[in-house]
Amino acid sequence: MARTLALLLFLLPTLAQEALSPLKDHPLAQQAKALLQAAAKALEAQTSPLALNVQGNYARLGYECTPPSLCQGLPATGGSLTLALVLTPFPFGEVQDSVERARIAHRRAELGYRRTLTALQAQAVAAYGRYQLALLGEKLAQKGAELARAALEAARKRQANPKELREAELALKEAENRLLEAQKNGELARKGAEGLVDLTQPLPEIPPPRGTTPLSLEEARLGLLEAQIAHMSALRTLLPEVKASYLRYPSGNDTLALSLSSRTLQPTLAYTRQDPAQGPTVLPGGGSYRTLEEMRLSLSLTLSPGLFAALEAAEAQVRGAEEALKAAEMQARLQEETLKNALVALSMALDLARLRREAQERALAETKRRLELGLESPLALLQAELSLLQAELALAQAESDLRNKWMELYQFYGELLPEVIP
């Protein structure tokens, strides 16, 4: 339980950032958290050092007596109550298998928790980028409509021919339609970001991930561990089972027992109270005796073709899990190289987009100076502003693509964004 809380305290602070704060309340995040807590409780249950068992029995008795009057003195009912305490000083055998399976299930829940949160985190970053692109697209569409409107007014002032006027009116209509579409896209992008990211806050910078073990590789290793546990369990069924017990009878009603099995090495202490009492054994020649203590030792061995077939199946599962791990390692290396190469290409595209925006900024500044000198028209200024907006949109797209690719790498490793102050 302490390990689970430590994991939650390590993971959740990264979601406490301003822009990504809605993620902690997302239904999928809450579901993954609940599954992790359930797995932690299941592991805690398997590692419990003791267990108490209570068992009761009741019976109605019928007799055939010779002479019949003897039946009148016999009890009509019988019953017993047993209290047993099962101790687990250390996990062994079947108990150890159960503990290891619970530990693997808990580890899978941890991986599932990380997988869910990194997926939500990637969705949030992508939604934030789509919304920013939608805002820039709407701004670009507004500038395009402004330019088309100014072009139509200029055509009317210079008394252009009817064909040019029709083309200018059609261009304005198309620009207005693009503006309406851009506004709808902005609304859809805003709705798509609800519950994932706070659009009123700046998105934190995304640093490179630490580069831990990929999630797929960790899951393949867990699969191999499960196969190895199943193999050991199948092998154990072929070994003889030895049971030892010591019983003490303080009275005819009471029984104290201590038992141990080689399959689990779990000492079991039991106390049984029965009614009617166990009477002494009467000897034919006179006299009687009562057992005070008893030591039992039993050995059982089961051999069948099915058990050997199960062992061979478990061995095959181990070999399959080993090959699956090798395949996961190869796939992980390939995927990692592919992602890193894509990051390099996107970084180069981002640098180029920045250069193009800088070039458009210089072009806009030159157009303004030429306009002040009377060497350019207001339409040229609007066109330069539109070109700059297009360069800014291309730059924002390149930044979003790079962020999304970084988030793919975060998902690949199952890492969360570190705590960053915007």
Side-chain angles (χ1 to χ4, degrees):
M1 185 62 183
R3 182 183 177 186
T4 303
L5 292 177
L7 176 67
L8 294 177
L9 291 175
F10 173 74
L11 295 177
L12 287 180
T14 65
L15 304 178
Q17 307 171 39
E18 295 295 333
L20 301 179
S21 59
L23 286 183
K24 65 180 182 296
D25 298 323
H26 195 279
L28 292 178
Q30 293 296 321
Q31 179 193 25
K33 180 180 177 182
L35 292 176
L36 177 57
Q37 292 174 342
K41 284 296 182 181
L43 177 58
E44 183 180 349
Q46 291 293 335
T47 55
S48 177
L50 55 88
L52 179 63
N53 177 264
V54 180
Q55 182 177 350
N57 295 302
Y58 173 80
R60 292 183 61 88
L61 306 175
Y63 306 94
E64 181 180 357
C65 302
T66 303
S69 59
L70 182 62
C71 292
Q72 297 178 0
L74 297 178
T77 61
S80 66
L81 178 65
T82 301
L83 301 178
L85 184 64
V86 182
L87 305 176
T88 308
F90 54 88
F92 178 81
E94 296 176 355
V95 176
Q96 184 179 12
D97 290 348
S98 299
V99 171
E100 290 300 323
R101 289 190 178 98
R103 189 170 286 118
I104 290 174
H106 181 253
R107 182 56 180 164
R108 285 192 186 279
E110 289 179 351
L111 298 181
Y113 186 77
R114 287 166 51 190
R115 184 181 296 279
T116 299
L117 290 181
T118 51
L120 288 174
Q121 187 174 257
Q123 294 177 25
V125 171
Y128 190 93
R130 285 193 298 268
Y131 181 71
Q132 296 300 321
L133 290 174
L135 291 181
L136 283 175
E138 183 177 350
K139 189 176 180 181
L140 179 62
Q142 289 175 348
K143 183 61 68 173
E146 182 182 352
L147 177 60
R149 195 173 296 108
L152 178 59
E153 291 296 329
R156 288 173 177 172
K157 287 181 180 179
R158 72 171 186 271
Q159 296 182 351
N161 59 57
K163 180 181 178 181
E164 291 179 344
L165 287 176
R166 287 194 302 270
E167 291 178 350
E169 291 173 351
L170 182 59
L172 176 59
K173 184 62 176 178
E174 292 176 348
E176 290 175 346
N177 290 340
R178 286 193 295 269
L179 177 57
L180 289 175
E181 183 178 358
Q183 291 172 345
K184 292 180 181 178
N185 290 336
E187 182 64 19
L188 290 175
R190 184 187 65 79
K191 291 182 179 179
E194 291 179 354
L196 291 173
V197 60
D198 186 356
L199 297 175
T200 63
Q201 300 294 333
L203 193 68
E205 183 181 355
I206 300 176
R210 296 188 303 274
T212 56
T213 305
L215 276 182
S216 59
L217 196 55
E218 292 194 34
E219 291 173 344
R221 290 174 179 173
L222 291 180
L224 177 57
L225 287 177
E226 285 181 329
Q228 291 172 342
I229 293 173
H231 175 258
M232 290 301 299
S233 178
L235 182 62
R236 196 179 299 113
T237 59
L238 296 175
L239 300 178
E241 180 182 8
V242 179
K243 292 183 179 180
S245 59
Y246 172 76
L247 296 90
R248 180 77 178 178
Y249 305 99
S251 67
N253 297 98
D254 303 312
T255 302
L256 297 175
L258 172 63
S259 60
L260 186 68
S261 172
S262 63
R263 289 284 176 88
T264 61
L265 293 186
Q266 288 179 297
T268 301
L269 300 174
Y271 167 73
T272 302
R273 177 72 178 184
Q274 65 179 11
D275 185 30
Q278 181 73 29
T281 302
V282 179
L283 297 176
S288 64
Y289 71 91
R290 186 172 67 87
T291 303
L292 294 179
E293 61 181 3
E294 183 180 353
M295 177 71 75
R296 297 177 182 175
L297 188 63
S298 64
L299 176 67
S300 64
L301 176 63
T302 302
L303 297 177
S304 72
L307 295 178
F308 288 99
L311 179 61
E312 292 177 358
E315 293 174 348
Q317 288 178 348
V318 172
R319 292 194 299 271
E322 290 173 346
E323 296 302 322
L325 178 58
K326 293 179 182 179
E329 290 174 347
M330 295 173 58
Q331 182 64 28
R333 285 195 297 269
L334 178 61
Q335 187 176 357
E336 185 179 30
E337 292 177 2
T338 302
L339 288 173
K340 289 182 177 180
N341 290 338
L343 285 170
V344 172
L346 290 174
S347 297
M348 296 173 62
L350 178 60
D351 294 338
L352 183 58
R354 286 172 178 164
L355 293 175
R356 287 175 177 170
R357 185 192 61 177
E358 293 173 359
Q360 291 300 329
E361 287 176 345
R362 291 193 296 268
L364 177 59
E366 293 172 357
T367 302
K368 288 180 179 179
R369 289 195 297 268
R370 292 174 63 85
L371 180 63
E372 293 172 356
L373 297 174
L375 300 177
E376 287 288 1
S377 65
L379 283 178
L381 178 61
L382 289 176
Q383 183 61 52
E385 292 175 346
L386 182 65
S387 298
L388 177 58
L389 285 176
Q390 290 174 337
E392 290 178 349
L393 180 61
L395 176 59
Q397 182 67 61
E399 291 174 342
S400 179
D401 291 342
L402 183 60
R403 283 197 306 267
N404 292 340
K405 191 58 66 175
W406 274 119
M407 297 314 299
E408 287 186 31
L409 196 59
Y410 270 89
Q411 285 184 274
F412 173 72
Y413 290 120
E415 294 184 27
L416 292 177
L417 286 171
E419 192 172 19
V420 176
I421 300 177

